[in-house]
Amino acid sequence: MHIPDNYLSPLSCAVTAGVAAPVLAYSVKKVKEAVRDNREMAPMLGVASSLSFLMMMFNVPVPGGTTAHAVGSVLLAILMGPYAASISVSVALILQAFLFGDGGILALGANILNMAIIMPFAGYAIYRFFQKRNLETIGVIISSYVGLNLAALATAIELGIQPILFNDGGVALYNPYGLSVTIPAMMFTHLAVAGFVEAFFTLVIFKFVKRISPEKIQGPVMEDKKQGHSIVTKLRYFIIFLLILTPLGLLAEGTAFGEWSNEELLEILNKTNPGALLPKGLERGFEFNSIFPDYTIPNTNLSIGYILSAVTAILIFFILGKIIQTVIQSKSKTNV
């Protein structure tokens, strides 16, 4: 679901970024207020980004030779509220793009809109609908499943409209596949496989939090200051557990639909149309060289590099959480 650069036109990137920006700005405002009221929210932001990042590293095979993964946006919305979830997942996506080349730099607006805005806000609304009717567990399952698939649908539409809106004499300039291809391909993957993986992760971690936080969850868990410290500490242990298991994400072979490199796409195009050329936007588009492309570390084997990439990200998220906590505390003292 991570759209690479050049699969969307510059205009599409600008529009999606323009839609995402005000939502993120308002989310930042709401999170600042939450951190001032509950100090544990700051480290939880780092923990939440780590959780989402790790969940996205567990690729699962999908029929057809592609892969898919969970995101964790709805889980974080249930634990912290949709505004904090939006910020945490956005930070994870930004780090993935710049440090590991997972998702495009110019396409960040689209990826944030899909996975860090549509998914947590829609999923949280569905969860609250069921929770208010004392159907909490069902709500967790359905909200996470539907939330992921809504994000996948948005991705499919963004990719699928490219050859319709941006072409040169009928030849696609960016993503070459129209809606008749992108929607079935994306939705089959996520309805049949990824949605269930998302629901499984969400339910397991939610039940884990419920066990260490026995009070009934009426709203975001982190609104309860007494429970906050315990949740942050226990989730850190859970993150270490997931970190050890991250090499399992390497077992799934193949590239997710719409996330191909230029070489992979050209090979796919030539299977159905020998002699096909890359769309001009992909061939001549923006290129960014990340530090650790595809979660690889120079001079290490694949599994070790995968783990070290995850460790690097978690340390960055931890530091960011500490910085936020320090800044908020210093402002609070100044205001006093």
Side-chain angles (χ1 to χ4, degrees):
M1 208 188 302
H2 290 68
I3 301 174
D5 278 326
N6 307 318
Y7 273 74
L8 301 181
S9 71
L11 178 59
S12 300
C13 292
V15 169
T16 52
V19 174
V23 180
L24 280 183
Y26 187 70
S27 295
V28 168
K29 178 183 177 182
K30 297 292 288 185
V31 169
K32 281 182 179 179
E33 295 171 358
V35 172
R36 280 195 291 267
D37 294 336
N38 182 1
R39 292 182 180 180
E40 293 303 324
M41 180 64 82
M44 183 61 182
L45 290 170
V47 169
S49 293
S50 299
L51 265 177
S52 179
F53 185 93
L54 288 173
M55 287 173 68
M56 286 189 266
M57 293 187 77
F58 284 90
N59 296 305
V60 294
V62 175
T66 63
T67 60
H69 58 74
V71 176
S73 296
V74 178
L75 168 69
L76 300 185
I78 293 171
L79 296 181
M80 305 189 300
Y83 300 110
S86 180
I87 297 300
S88 295
V89 178
S90 294
V91 170
L93 292 171
I94 291 169
L95 188 70
Q96 285 176 326
F98 279 94
L99 201 58
F100 304 107
D102 193 1
I105 304 300
L106 299 181
L108 259 174
N111 290 326
I112 287 173
L113 175 63
N114 301 336
M115 289 181 274
I117 294 177
I118 292 174
M119 186 173 173
F121 281 95
Y124 185 70
I126 295 169
Y127 164 73
R128 289 290 284 165
F129 173 84
F130 283 97
Q131 186 198 41
K132 291 176 181 177
R133 288 156 180 79
N134 296 316
L135 297 169
E136 189 171 65
T137 299
I138 294 175
V140 170
I141 296 170
I142 293 178
S143 63
S144 54
Y145 181 86
V146 174
L148 182 76
N149 279 285
L150 287 175
L153 178 60
T155 303
I157 292 172
E158 290 158 5
L159 289 170
I161 63 175
Q162 297 306 304
I164 300 172
L165 299 178
F166 308 99
N167 62 78
D168 182 9
V171 178
L173 293 174
Y174 302 99
N175 173 59
Y177 298 111
L179 293 169
S180 62
V181 174
T182 60
I183 291 179
M186 286 293 294
M187 297 319 296
F188 170 75
T189 297
H190 291 83
L191 287 169
V193 180
F196 292 104
V197 175
E198 184 77 36
F200 172 77
F201 267 106
T202 303
L203 183 62
V204 168
I205 299 174
F206 177 80
K207 290 294 186 183
F208 172 75
V209 171
K210 284 278 286 186
R211 180 170 293 181
I212 63 175
S213 173
E215 296 294 326
K216 185 177 180 181
I217 299 175
Q218 297 292 346
V221 177
M222 290 303 298
E223 286 183 354
D224 190 326
K225 299 178 185 179
K226 294 180 181 178
Q227 297 176 21
H229 180 73
S230 174
I231 291 170
V232 170
T233 302
K234 297 294 176 57
L235 283 178
R236 281 174 177 162
Y237 291 129
F238 190 79
I239 284 171
I240 294 172
F241 172 71
L242 287 180
L243 181 63
I244 295 170
L245 297 179
T246 48
L248 292 175
L250 294 170
L251 296 178
E253 298 181 355
T255 304
F257 179 87
E259 297 185 21
W260 307 291
S261 65
N262 283 2
E263 293 76 15
E264 289 174 313
L265 177 60
L266 186 59
E267 183 179 344
I268 294 170
L269 291 173
N270 274 275
K271 285 181 180 179
T272 56
N273 183 19
L277 301 175
L278 276 176
K280 291 181 181 179
L282 282 159
E283 186 179 10
R284 306 171 186 173
F286 173 77
E287 186 175 347
F288 175 80
N289 296 317
S290 58
I291 301 174
F292 305 120
D294 297 324
Y295 304 98
T296 57
I297 305 293
N299 302 317
T300 63
N301 66 45
L302 198 56
S303 296
I304 297 299
Y306 211 60
I307 292 176
L308 290 177
S309 296
V311 170
T312 301
I314 291 169
L315 289 175
I316 292 173
F317 296 140
F318 175 78
I319 293 169
L320 287 175
K322 284 293 185 182
I323 292 172
I324 293 171
Q325 190 174 28
T326 302
V327 170
I328 295 297
Q329 287 177 349
S330 63
K331 285 186 177 181
S332 297
K333 291 178 181 179
T334 303
N335 292 335
V336 173

Short mmCIF file of all heavy atoms in Angstrom, two decimals, residues 123-135 139:
data_model
loop_
_atom_site.label_atom_id
_atom_site.label_comp_id
_atom_site.label_asym_id
_atom_site.label_seq_id
_atom_site.Cartn_x
_atom_site.Cartn_y
_atom_site.Cartn_z
N GLY A 123 -11.80 3.80 10.94
CA GLY A 123 -11.80 2.63 11.81
C GLY A 123 -12.26 2.94 13.21
O GLY A 123 -13.02 2.17 13.83
N TYR A 124 -11.83 4.08 13.75
CA TYR A 124 -12.21 4.46 15.11
C TYR A 124 -13.71 4.72 15.20
O TYR A 124 -14.36 4.36 16.18
CB TYR A 124 -11.43 5.69 15.55
CG TYR A 124 -11.69 6.06 17.00
CD1 TYR A 124 -11.21 5.27 18.04
CD2 TYR A 124 -12.42 7.21 17.33
CE1 TYR A 124 -11.44 5.61 19.36
CE2 TYR A 124 -12.64 7.55 18.64
CZ TYR A 124 -12.16 6.75 19.65
OH TYR A 124 -12.40 7.07 20.97
N ALA A 125 -14.27 5.35 14.17
CA ALA A 125 -15.71 5.61 14.16
C ALA A 125 -16.50 4.30 14.17
O ALA A 125 -17.50 4.18 14.88
CB ALA A 125 -16.07 6.44 12.93
N ILE A 126 -16.02 3.33 13.42
CA ILE A 126 -16.68 2.02 13.39
C ILE A 126 -16.56 1.32 14.74
O ILE A 126 -17.52 0.75 15.27
CB ILE A 126 -16.09 1.15 12.26
CG1 ILE A 126 -16.39 1.77 10.90
CG2 ILE A 126 -16.63 -0.28 12.34
CD1 ILE A 126 -15.63 1.14 9.75
N TYR A 127 -15.37 1.38 15.32
CA TYR A 127 -15.14 0.76 16.63
C TYR A 127 -16.07 1.35 17.69
O TYR A 127 -16.69 0.63 18.47
CB TYR A 127 -13.67 0.96 17.04
CG TYR A 127 -13.42 0.70 18.52
CD1 TYR A 127 -13.43 -0.59 19.03
CD2 TYR A 127 -13.20 1.77 19.39
CE1 TYR A 127 -13.21 -0.83 20.38
CE2 TYR A 127 -12.99 1.54 20.74
CZ TYR A 127 -12.99 0.25 21.23
OH TYR A 127 -12.79 0.02 22.56
N ARG A 128 -16.18 2.67 17.72
CA ARG A 128 -17.02 3.32 18.73
C ARG A 128 -18.49 2.97 18.52
O ARG A 128 -19.24 2.84 19.50
CB ARG A 128 -16.83 4.84 18.65
CG ARG A 128 -15.46 5.31 19.14
CD ARG A 128 -15.32 5.15 20.64
NE ARG A 128 -16.05 6.18 21.35
CZ ARG A 128 -16.34 6.14 22.65
NH1 ARG A 128 -15.99 5.09 23.38
NH2 ARG A 128 -16.99 7.12 23.23
N PHE A 129 -18.91 2.79 17.29
CA PHE A 129 -20.29 2.39 17.00
C PHE A 129 -20.61 1.06 17.68
O PHE A 129 -21.66 0.91 18.34
CB PHE A 129 -20.49 2.27 15.48
CG PHE A 129 -21.83 1.71 15.08
CD1 PHE A 129 -22.95 2.53 15.01
CD2 PHE A 129 -21.98 0.35 14.80
CE1 PHE A 129 -24.18 2.01 14.65
CE2 PHE A 129 -23.21 -0.17 14.44
CZ PHE A 129 -24.31 0.65 14.36
N PHE A 130 -19.71 0.10 17.55
CA PHE A 130 -19.94 -1.21 18.16
C PHE A 130 -19.72 -1.19 19.66
O PHE A 130 -20.44 -1.85 20.42
CB PHE A 130 -19.03 -2.26 17.51
CG PHE A 130 -19.48 -2.71 16.16
CD1 PHE A 130 -18.96 -2.15 15.00
CD2 PHE A 130 -20.47 -3.68 16.02
CE1 PHE A 130 -19.38 -2.55 13.75
CE2 PHE A 130 -20.90 -4.10 14.78
CZ PHE A 130 -20.36 -3.53 13.64
N GLN A 131 -18.74 -0.42 20.10
CA GLN A 131 -18.45 -0.35 21.53
C GLN A 131 -19.63 0.19 22.32
O GLN A 131 -19.95 -0.31 23.41
CB GLN A 131 -17.21 0.52 21.77
CG GLN A 131 -16.74 0.53 23.22
CD GLN A 131 -15.84 1.71 23.50
OE1 GLN A 131 -16.08 2.82 23.03
NE2 GLN A 131 -14.79 1.46 24.25
N LYS A 132 -20.29 1.20 21.80
CA LYS A 132 -21.44 1.79 22.48
C LYS A 132 -22.60 0.82 22.59
O LYS A 132 -23.51 1.03 23.39
CB LYS A 132 -21.88 3.06 21.75
CG LYS A 132 -20.88 4.21 21.88
CD LYS A 132 -21.32 5.41 21.05
CE LYS A 132 -20.32 6.54 21.16
NZ LYS A 132 -20.69 7.71 20.31
N ARG A 133 -22.56 -0.24 21.80
CA ARG A 133 -23.60 -1.26 21.84
C ARG A 133 -23.12 -2.53 22.54
O ARG A 133 -23.67 -3.62 22.35
CB ARG A 133 -24.07 -1.57 20.41
CG ARG A 133 -24.89 -0.42 19.82
CD ARG A 133 -24.87 -0.38 18.32
NE ARG A 133 -25.68 0.75 17.81
CZ ARG A 133 -25.26 2.00 17.78
NH1 ARG A 133 -24.06 2.32 18.23
NH2 ARG A 133 -26.06 2.97 17.32
N ASN A 134 -22.05 -2.36 23.35
CA ASN A 134 -21.47 -3.45 24.12
C ASN A 134 -21.01 -4.62 23.25
O ASN A 134 -21.14 -5.79 23.63
CB ASN A 134 -22.47 -3.95 25.18
CG ASN A 134 -22.78 -2.90 26.23
OD1 ASN A 134 -21.87 -2.21 26.71
ND2 ASN A 134 -24.05 -2.72 26.55
N LEU A 135 -20.50 -4.28 22.08
CA LEU A 135 -19.96 -5.29 21.16
C LEU A 135 -18.50 -4.94 20.86
O LEU A 135 -18.08 -4.83 19.71
CB LEU A 135 -20.78 -5.32 19.87
CG LEU A 135 -22.25 -5.73 20.01
CD1 LEU A 135 -23.01 -5.47 18.71
CD2 LEU A 135 -22.36 -7.20 20.41
N GLY A 139 -16.36 -5.05 17.45
CA GLY A 139 -15.98 -3.73 16.95
C GLY A 139 -14.50 -3.66 16.61
O GLY A 139 -14.12 -3.06 15.59
#
